[in-house]
Amino acid sequence: MRLTPTPPSMTRERILHLTSRMKNCRIAIVGDVMLDRYWIGGSDRISPEAPVPIVTITERRSALGGAANVAANVTAAGATALLVGAVG
């Protein structure tokens, strides 16, 4: 029976060391560039046509999605991101 080695523990010091090295990295992200949209609201009734709630929208939010979200996270970690993708 062959056992795979256990990964090194992700201690706080290890995480800080890895994120400090991100400043020297250039990372290419290739994928779909998306915009995620969130509609927030409440529901007090069910549709008569289908068993789905009727929502009264009180707030709308937009956020980066797909490869754009990955690029934002890479940049937040300190690396330089090159985003390659399609929009539309």
Side-chain angles (χ1 to χ4, degrees):
M1 181 165 92
R2 183 176 174 179
L3 298 175
T4 57
T6 57
S9 79
M10 292 300 283
T11 63
R12 184 177 191 276
E13 292 78 23
R14 176 83 172 138
I15 293 170
L16 290 173
H17 171 71
L18 291 173
T19 54
S20 71
R21 292 182 58 195
M22 291 290 288
K23 291 178 179 58
N24 301 325
C25 293
R26 291 181 300 160
I27 301 173
I29 298 106
V30 180
D32 294 327
V33 178
M34 296 182 239
L35 180 66
D36 293 340
R37 296 218 170 157
Y38 301 93
W39 296 346
I40 297 113
S43 173
D44 56 359
R45 67 187 183 100
I46 301 294
S47 170
E49 290 87 20
V52 294
I54 304 297
V55 178
T56 304
I57 298 170
T58 57
E59 183 181 350
R60 294 175 186 183
R61 292 184 192 165
S62 297
L64 296 174
N69 186 16
V70 174
N73 291 335
V74 164
T75 302
T80 302
L82 172 63
L83 178 58
V84 180
V87 179

